[in-house]
Amino acid sequence: MKEHTGGCLCGAVRYAFTGEPRFVSLCHCTHCQKLSGGSYTINLLIREQDFKQQGATVLFEDSGDSGHPVQRHFCGDCGSHIFAKIASAPGKIVLKGGTLDHPNDFTPQAEIYTCRASEWLLPVENTQRFDLGI
């Protein structure tokens, strides 16, 4: 099974996961915009049991549109957002695709929260678009 690797900007946090993501999406929600400092984030839904982390992350907890808690894990040194755990998806991790060593290994299948997407941003070819989450 292929291993995929990544980490934070400063290298203090490294990770690896095996297998393929269950889902790959671009998220345009306002939380992702603020977290990334950009128009969206690339998110890979993976099984927690397939994920191994080296280095400590700090936790910030907020809530998603569902009202359920979202535990966001960041590098405590450089602030890179590495992954999130969503209470409504136990056993899964939402990995931030921008932290991958080889982000081109994955192609988005969908765009979510397009109701909040920047008006000048064109839809990504071959993706399903959803006004809200799925």
Side-chain angles (χ1 to χ4, degrees):
M1 203 175 289
K2 184 174 180 179
E3 182 176 78
H4 306 282
T5 58
C8 67
L9 182 61
C10 73
V13 178
R14 295 289 303 160
Y15 64 79
F17 71 93
T18 54
E20 296 302 310
R22 301 298 183 247
F23 195 68
V24 181
S25 67
L26 303 181
C27 183
H28 300 275
C29 79
T30 54
H31 287 230
C32 283
Q33 290 173 12
K34 289 178 185 287
L35 288 165
S36 70
S39 296
Y40 56 85
T41 60
I42 304 166
N43 299 299
L44 288 75
L45 184 66
I46 62 172
R47 294 186 323 171
E48 189 171 4
Q49 69 187 31
D50 296 338
F51 181 80
K52 294 179 184 144
Q53 175 184 325
Q54 294 177 334
T57 54
V58 295
L59 176 70
F60 174 76
E61 188 168 300
D62 70 4
S63 59
D65 284 350
S66 66
H68 294 285
V70 178
Q71 296 180 338
R72 301 187 183 280
H73 292 259
F74 297 85
C75 172
D77 293 332
C78 68
S80 297
H81 187 200
I82 308 295
F83 66 91
K85 292 183 181 180
I86 302 171
S88 60
K92 305 287 190 287
I93 286 178
V94 179
L95 183 67
K96 296 302 174 182
T99 64
L100 288 162
D101 291 337
H102 302 285
N104 287 325
D105 286 352
F106 303 100
T107 302
Q109 300 158 295
E111 292 184 71
I112 60 175
Y113 290 95
T114 57
C115 64
R116 298 194 180 107
S118 299
E119 291 178 6
W120 46 263
L121 189 63
L122 297 176
V124 175
E125 191 174 335
N126 298 321
T127 61
Q128 289 184 296
R129 292 176 55 87
F130 300 92
D131 278 346
L132 298 174
I134 49 176

